Amino acid sequence: MGDSIEARTFTRQDRTQFRAKTERCLDALAAMLADGRFAPVDAPDSQLGMEIELNLVDEQGAPARSNAAVLDAIASPAFQTELARFNVEVNVAPRPIGGGHLRELEDVLRGALDVADQRARSTGSGLAMIGMLPTLDETHFTERWFSADARYSVLGQQILAARGEDIELQIDGVPLSDGRPAERLSMVCDTILPEAACTSVQLHLQVAPDSFASYWNAAQAIAGPQVALAANSPFFAGTALWHETRIPMFEQATDIRPQELKNQGVRPRVWFGERWITSIFDLFEENSQYFSALLPVCSDEDPFAALDEGRAPELSELRMHNGTVYRWNRPIYDAGDGTAHLRLENRVLPGGPSVVDVMADAAFYYGLVRSMAEADRPIWTQMTFDAAAENLRAAAREGIDSRLYWPDAGWISARELVLRRLLPAAAEGLEAFGVDPEVRDRYLGIIAQRCVTGQNGAVWQREDVAARERSGASRTEALHGMLAGYLERMQAGEPVHTWTH
């Protein structure tokens, strides 16, 4: 969620000063882009980064309000707090993509999560890597469930103050099985904690400034297929909703717009965007122009003074503001050791189901985005931006059986699109990164089998709950039983396409 801040209120002067400082940061960024003041990025040394948000559950599978105790028990700087007390996050240090590094990361990640889970159990809690914890309900969204860091409660207060009214969650679901009616969520909440239900895997890629627009456009174009393959969030508050309910839930839970502003076409805080870009500057400029500050905390730095001294400025105000605009593919500016670099943060993927599934999704993304970004005829020159946005919506709603639009194919099933077109492209991209063939085949083979079997995390969860209900279980009993089976399989570590009921 970003840097910690002190609990405080903000004045009109704070906001005026913050806007001026953000504009000065933008000017400094423009100068840095024009002068080439960024660390070089060479393809053989391309770096990946990863953040995985996790849920905490008690022995009955209910959310556990225990992240402070769990983090004390884990005692690793890689694990940090998140928005709610039932969340933690693990951060993977940057490492090369090529060679056997992806396979090594799988082993490191699996080992770290196993140790963390074992230590968490000493507090009566366990780790759940899942897009949305199915045992959450409205009782878990009160103030007492906020993490202790003041940043989270202050951010929530600012969102609600900007909105001027409680948050309404309205989602029409997809029927759980043939012959059953669609279910509907209708909930009013006075905190932003439903956002904490949306746990994700965030993939980072360091990108050269001149290439950033191509990589961002490519990531936008493939967001729909990514979500269709990886959907793992079909339940919320006892209701069967979309295959990847994180997408509409996150949009609604952090929406600062009352209905009147929606009617006027004011842009949402969780935003896919509205156009292909030509420079990373476009994204930072849009963020500054379209969105008011939520956390107007100013630093003492003058970014141009830092540039005059020959070092990269922190651009604290720009980074703070950027962290409160929730693009599904987010631009990141970072500085350290006197140099600056740019990253593309991909935020569409849910957590889980298993570590090897997470790594397969990551390999597919890194390979495909590389291939699409560097193609002779870029994908974004062949499809409209609205088509890419609609693909994300359709994939989130219908999952792996959704139909998506793709150039030269028209409307095509997500499974056929991936098998026939996207997997070969992802393989080319991983080869360009220098990934070992056996590593490439391991992860893309898992993606292929997910398409062949038609089973991802959302499908397994939905079918398991439906089967339990046919056997006489109530929805609550079915969700708890399903989650127990899910956690057993998650810990066993086999890919989700092999899971049985």
Side-chain angles (χ1 to χ4, degrees), residues 409-446:
W411 291 97
I412 184 173
S413 76
R415 294 160 67 181
E416 183 179 358
L417 172 63
V418 171
L419 286 170
R420 293 191 178 185
R421 292 173 178 255
L422 302 189
L423 274 174
E428 291 177 4
L430 291 176
E431 182 178 355
F433 275 127
V435 174
D436 291 346
E438 61 271 21
V439 176
R440 175 200 64 203
D441 294 346
R442 171 178 174 79
Y443 297 125
L444 297 189
I446 289 172

Side-chain angles (χ1 to χ4, degrees), residues 360-402:
D361 291 331
F364 179 73
Y365 166 74
Y366 285 119
L368 188 57
V369 77
R370 171 75 183 265
S371 178
M372 293 291 172
E374 301 191 3
D376 292 335
R377 188 183 176 199
I379 186 68
W380 58 93
T381 66
Q382 304 175 59
M383 66 189 295
T384 66
F385 192 89
D386 287 346
E390 179 55 33
N391 279 350
L392 177 61
R393 204 95 186 145
R397 181 176 173 81
E398 304 290 341
I400 202 165
D401 287 322
S402 59

Side-chain angles (χ1 to χ4, degrees), residues 175-420:
L176 194 56
S177 58
D178 291 341
R180 296 183 61 165
E183 301 174 28
R184 187 171 197 272
L185 175 75
S186 182
M187 179 187 297
V188 176
C189 191
D190 62 359
T191 74
I192 65 166
L193 279 168
E195 176 192 337
C198 307
T199 50
S200 65
V201 173
Q202 296 155 24
L203 302 176
H204 291 248
L205 177 65
Q206 188 173 342
V207 181
D210 291 345
S211 301
F212 193 94
S214 294
Y215 274 83
W216 188 84
N217 289 342
Q220 293 286 95
I222 66 175
Q226 275 187 280
V227 168
L229 282 170
N232 196 32
S233 312
F235 296 101
F236 178 79
T239 310
L241 297 171
W242 292 14
H243 283 242
E244 190 48 39
T245 306
R246 278 177 51 259
I247 301 297
M249 180 61 63
F250 195 59
E251 291 172 349
Q252 295 183 24
T254 54
D255 199 341
I256 67 171
R257 305 169 303 164
Q259 189 59 49
E260 293 81 5
L261 293 185
K262 295 178 187 178
N263 294 341
Q264 293 174 38
V266 172
R267 294 163 178 86
R269 203 86 192 189
V270 177
W271 199 30
F272 186 72
E274 59 191 16
R275 64 186 176 105
W276 306 118
I277 65 167
T278 58
S279 166
I280 188 175
F281 188 82
D282 296 346
L283 302 177
F284 284 112
E285 185 177 44
E286 286 179 349
N287 288 356
S288 177
Q289 290 180 343
Y290 298 154
F291 301 102
S292 59
L294 292 179
L295 300 175
V297 179
C298 290
S299 71
D300 295 329
E301 180 190 64
D302 180 348
F304 282 96
L307 289 174
D308 289 342
E309 294 169 5
R311 58 182 175 84
E314 294 292 328
L315 303 187
S316 300
E317 293 79 13
L318 186 72
R319 291 169 57 217
M320 176 68 79
H321 187 58
N322 189 60
T324 63
V325 179
Y326 304 100
R327 292 179 181 269
W328 292 112
N329 284 291
R330 177 189 273 171
I332 303 289
Y333 169 93
D334 211 350
D337 299 324
T339 61
H341 70 263
L342 303 173
R343 299 196 308 274
L344 173 60
E345 181 187 30
N346 178 256
R347 301 165 53 84
V348 301
L349 292 172
S354 68
V355 169
V356 72
D357 284 309
V358 168
M359 293 307 304
D361 291 331
F364 179 73
Y365 166 74
Y366 285 119
L368 188 57
V369 77
R370 171 75 183 265
S371 178
M372 293 291 172
E374 301 191 3
D376 292 335
R377 188 183 176 199
I379 186 68
W380 58 93
T381 66
Q382 304 175 59
M383 66 189 295
T384 66
F385 192 89
D386 287 346
E390 179 55 33
N391 279 350
L392 177 61
R393 204 95 186 145
R397 181 176 173 81
E398 304 290 341
I400 202 165
D401 287 322
S402 59
R403 294 187 66 80
L404 309 177
Y405 175 80
W406 204 254
D408 298 327
W411 291 97
I412 184 173
S413 76
R415 294 160 67 181
E416 183 179 358
L417 172 63
V418 171
L419 286 170
R420 293 191 178 185

Side-chain angles (χ1 to χ4, degrees), residues 477-499:
E477 292 169 339
L479 289 175
H480 278 264
M482 179 275 288
L483 181 60
Y486 178 102
L487 294 177
E488 289 176 3
R489 291 162 176 79
M490 179 198 79
Q491 291 157 1
E494 293 302 316
V496 70
H497 72 265
T498 67
W499 291 11

